[in-house]
Amino acid sequence: MSNKQSDKPANLNKFEKIKAEKDGLTVKDELENFAQIGWEAMEKSDLEHRLKWVGVFYRPVTPGKFMLRMRTPNGILSSNQLRVLAEIVQRYGGDGSADITTRQNIQLRGIRLEDIPDIFRRLDAVGMTSMQSGMDNVRNITGSPVAGIDGSELIDTRELVQKVQDAITNNGEGNYAFTNLPRKFNIAIEGGRDNSVHAEINDIAFVPAYKNGELGFNVLVGGFFSAKRCEAAIPMNAWVRPNDDVVDLSKAILSVFRDRGSRANRQKSRLMWLIDQLGIDEFRSIVEQEFGRTLATAAESDEIDWEKRDCIGVHKQKQPGLNYVGLHVPVGRLYAQDMFDLAGLAEVYGSCEVRLTVEQNVIIPNILDDNLPDLLTEPLLKKFTIKPQPLERALVSCTGSQFCNFALVETKNRALAIAQQLDAELDIPKSVRIHWTGCPNSCGQPQVADIGLMGTKVRKDGKTIEGVDLYMGGKVGKDAQLGTCVQKGIACDDLNSVLRRILIESFGAKPK
Ligand code: SRM
Ligand code: SF4
């Protein structure tokens, strides 16, 4: 694995040194030992960094209680898998919970290191993996949440997403070819018309496009958010068929990134910085060499021509007589009992399958028309309603200070409380997408929201308190556009009145 860039060893950043010393994936073979010696006795770089290569995150906010980030390709879980995840968090009582993430994925909380070897065996038994889900690896690969059931679908993304994941992680066992990237990496495959995956904010996005009448994907590259810079993905001028070419091209781009991406300044090492340095044409031609065959040029236009759907509520599937039901999970937070209940509903009414969305919600697919009325009266649908209020409906929030040590503010509880209060006070004609993120890392994607709120610290009455920077103008779906910061440093105490005014002035809300 050569680094053809001119980064001299002395210029390598701290994380490169940690990786050079010992590849992160090697901790996979040390888990039994870690479980025995306990986290306090672990070497700091293993505990705080390398464990993330296998999806285990030390949480300085809750020492000894780890977070486990799974991989959920295309957001699909069987009820069996969900039940196993529920059993895992149930063991930790009040400390145990799970969060649906903004990458259509799930993270478990409260995990103890001594349980990890057993947890990994149980995950393996139901075909799940957490391999390479953190640090300088490819994150969960997103796909259309209604793949295979959407009447207007163009390409079913399920198998492709799984294949790309399998290639990158060696079928979930771990793959040393892709565990030493210069930085994290996001891949999304869209199969519908509504850009359900936020293609524009991924390092690689495949979006459906017809070339000479044949359906395939145009390829976008370089989208990302970071504290320093946010960019929408740009066209690579390439088109691929919806087959193994998607896997091979993903591998080729990753290899180029691995071998040429900068490893000096971590704030300048995401893929777009390499594209800037090479120029998109040169980048394309190097990728083409790595791909090993001629890359077709992009189709003139893609097929993203719809507003983005949130999938909440009851929807007819392409299969006659079947429906999918999108349940609203407030800020993505699940407890063990919720997970058991969801698994049960999928078994009784559906096809033993549950899906996750990038809006941190859940879909139960394959429900017969005749079974709908009973499903809709189930108690869980009071908590995870199909008719949420307009603000709660589209609310997204990152983890925030409850568990994340980067956070400058508490997010999830506050986000929910403010949305509920404003929903109660205002008549809002349509759902307004509010995204909360606890710090400039932007995990909660404030730049894609109608109203984005990014945690910061502000001075008020001589004290430093929690506040937010306000983002507006994010557009999703067709012609997606990133929102920008329009006001800095609003104290969280004042946020209710600021949001109330914006909702009335810009989103047609009226006091009740
Ligand atoms: Fe993120 C780091 C949580 C989606 C950009 N992110 C972190 C860490 C791991 C930091 C840490 O170690 O504490 C957070 C873990 C907190 C915790 O305990 O949950 C964290 N990120 C999340 C999640 C859970 C937010 C959520 O509530 O949904 C999302 C997990 C997705 C997944 O399943 O893998 C999550 N993170 C994102 C996204 C959104 C996306 O992918 O669409 C972004 C912006 C898009 C991007 O990456 O281009 C994002 N996370 C970051 C960054 C900034 C990256 C950069 O290039 O600078 C960091 C910090 C870093 O990598 O240095 C970060
Ligand atoms: Fe943590 Fe910041 Fe990401 Fe929120 S945006 S999860 S606070 S790193």
Side-chain angles (χ1 to χ4, degrees):
M1 200 179 309
S2 64
N3 178 17
K4 292 174 194 149
Q5 263 255 323
S6 54
D7 299 335
K8 298 190 180 73
N11 290 339
L12 294 180
N13 66 59
K14 154 183 151 190
F15 291 94
E16 288 306 320
K17 290 181 183 148
I18 291 173
K19 290 187 287 179
E21 217 173 86
K22 183 168 105 178
D23 191 290
L25 187 59
T26 56
V27 297
K28 190 180 173 228
D29 302 321
E30 297 178 74
L31 294 173
E32 297 278 357
N33 178 38
F34 295 154
Q36 282 191 359
I37 62 172
W39 65 272
E40 288 102 328
M42 279 179 68
E43 205 216 301
K44 199 168 144 55
S45 52
D46 285 341
L47 176 70
E48 293 180 2
H49 306 301
R50 292 195 192 90
L51 273 181
K52 292 182 180 173
W53 263 258
V54 294
V56 178
F57 288 60
Y58 171 68
R59 300 291 71 199
V61 182
T62 57
K65 295 169 196 161
F66 289 74
M67 182 266 278
L68 177 61
R69 180 184 284 168
M70 302 304 305
R71 299 195 77 95
T72 316
N74 214 122
I76 298 178
L77 289 170
S78 70
S79 53
N80 249 344
Q81 292 174 328
L82 186 57
R83 192 166 273 118
V84 168
L85 299 180
E87 282 163 8
I88 293 169
V89 293
Q90 186 184 37
R91 171 168 159 68
Y92 305 108
D95 291 335
S97 62
D99 287 315
I100 305 172
T101 76
T102 51
R103 292 203 67 79
Q104 203 178 32
N105 192 13
I106 192 161
Q107 299 184 163
L108 310 183
R109 307 256 173 219
I111 307 297
R112 290 191 211 120
L113 197 58
E114 61 264 34
D115 295 341
I116 287 287
D118 179 52
I119 289 174
F120 276 26
R121 280 189 283 275
R122 291 163 72 188
L123 294 175
D124 198 40
V126 288
M128 292 199 86
T129 183
S130 59
M131 218 41 68
Q132 293 163 240
S133 60
M135 276 299 282
D136 297 352
N137 283 294
V138 178
R139 296 286 184 278
N140 192 49
I141 299 166
T142 55
S144 310
V146 287
I149 58 177
D150 174 13
S152 62
E153 168 173 87
L154 295 164
I155 300 170
D156 184 344
T157 54
R158 291 173 294 180
E159 198 184 324
L160 286 172
V161 169
Q162 183 71 54
K163 279 188 167 176
V164 177
Q165 168 168 312
D166 287 347
I168 291 167
T169 64
N170 179 27
N171 302 313
E173 294 293 311
N175 182 354
Y176 283 102
F178 298 117
T179 49
N180 188 357
L181 303 176
R183 206 62 168 91
K184 70 181 291 195
F185 200 94
N186 292 327
I187 303 180
I189 309 183
E190 176 62 59
R193 296 183 170 277
D194 72 337
N195 190 8
S196 60
V197 295
H198 298 301
E200 70 283 4
I201 62 171
N202 282 268
D203 296 274
I204 310 179
F206 295 91
V207 292
Y210 284 101
K211 174 129 186 163
N212 305 327
E214 188 183 349
L215 191 53
F217 294 107
N218 272 355
V219 184
L220 308 175
V221 283
F224 79 113
F225 296 156
S226 73
K228 190 178 168 78
R229 178 180 175 199
C230 295
E231 291 291 344
I234 59 170
M236 195 179 111
N237 189 19
W239 179 90
V240 284
R241 297 198 163 83
N243 56 25
D244 283 349
D245 284 358
V246 170
V247 182
D248 293 347
L249 184 59
S250 300
K251 283 165 62 183
I253 294 173
L254 275 171
S255 303
V256 169
F257 178 54
R258 177 194 65 207
D259 295 344
R260 295 180 182 252
S262 169
R263 292 169 185 264
N265 178 350
R266 268 181 91 73
Q267 287 300 332
K268 293 189 175 178
S269 43
R270 293 289 294 269
L271 181 68
M272 186 60 106
W273 293 95
L274 176 64
I275 297 171
D276 284 350
Q277 183 206 320
L278 295 169
I280 187 71
D281 295 340
E282 175 70 1
F283 173 75
R284 184 188 189 280
S285 104
I286 296 170
V287 167
E288 190 172 49
Q289 275 169 37
E290 186 74 39
F291 185 59
R293 43 202 190 270
T294 307
L295 265 177
T297 54
E300 235 168 69
S301 60
D302 62 44
E303 296 301 310
I304 304 293
D305 50 10
W306 281 15
E307 294 301 308
K308 191 170 188 304
R309 297 166 290 180
D310 66 10
C311 299
I312 290 172
V314 177
H315 303 268
K316 290 265 165 240
Q317 289 185 195
K318 73 171 166 199
Q319 297 83 2
L322 288 179
N323 306 271
Y324 66 89
V325 176
L327 308 186
H328 177 255
V329 180
V331 290
R333 176 68 44 91
L334 296 168
Y335 294 95
Q337 194 55 50
D338 302 329
M339 295 155 81
F340 284 123
D341 291 348
L342 276 170
L345 294 186
E347 282 162 6
V348 173
Y349 298 100
S351 56
C352 304
E353 182 179 307
V354 163
R355 299 187 181 195
L356 310 176
T357 72
V358 296
E359 287 83 22
Q360 303 175 316
N361 294 317
V362 159
I363 295 171
I364 305 179
N366 301 321
I367 300 161
L368 282 169
D369 288 339
D370 286 350
N371 283 341
L372 269 177
D374 284 350
L375 169 65
L376 300 182
T377 58
E378 284 282 349
L380 190 68
L381 272 78
K382 291 218 163 48
K383 183 172 185 189
F384 297 158
T385 170
I386 61 163
K387 287 189 185 146
Q389 295 295 304
L391 295 185
E392 247 201 89
R393 177 173 188 129
L395 190 65
V396 167
S397 173
C398 85
T399 305
S401 62
Q402 189 183 4
F403 298 113
C404 178
N405 56 306
F406 287 123
L408 299 169
V409 301
E410 199 285 314
T411 51
K412 284 200 189 254
N413 294 319
R414 178 179 273 138
L416 200 53
I418 294 182
Q420 284 170 343
Q421 195 175 344
L422 290 168
D423 269 327
E425 290 171 13
L426 299 171
D427 270 324
I428 307 168
K430 79 186 221 318
S431 182
V432 179
R433 294 176 308 100
I434 301 183
H435 283 225
W436 279 78
T437 208
C439 80
N441 284 329
S442 296
C443 305
Q445 311 150 324
Q447 304 84 348
V448 307
D450 293 318
I451 301 176
L453 302 166
M454 180 186 288
T456 185
K457 295 285 187 209
V458 298
R459 293 286 292 171
K460 192 179 168 192
D461 306 330
K463 285 197 195 117
T464 302
I465 57 167
E466 299 197 345
V468 290
D469 292 340
L470 172 70
Y471 281 68
M472 288 191 67
K475 198 171 171 311
V476 293
K478 171 184 180 331
D479 302 328
Q481 251 178 10
L482 301 186
T484 51
C485 182
V486 294
Q487 192 180 342
K488 282 193 168 273
I490 304 166
C492 286
D493 299 350
D494 302 331
L495 198 51
N496 195 300
S497 58
V498 172
L499 291 177
R500 190 185 156 91
R501 181 179 49 75
I502 294 174
L503 290 165
I504 292 172
E505 286 173 5
S506 306
F507 296 94
K510 294 201 169 55
K512 275 187 181 160

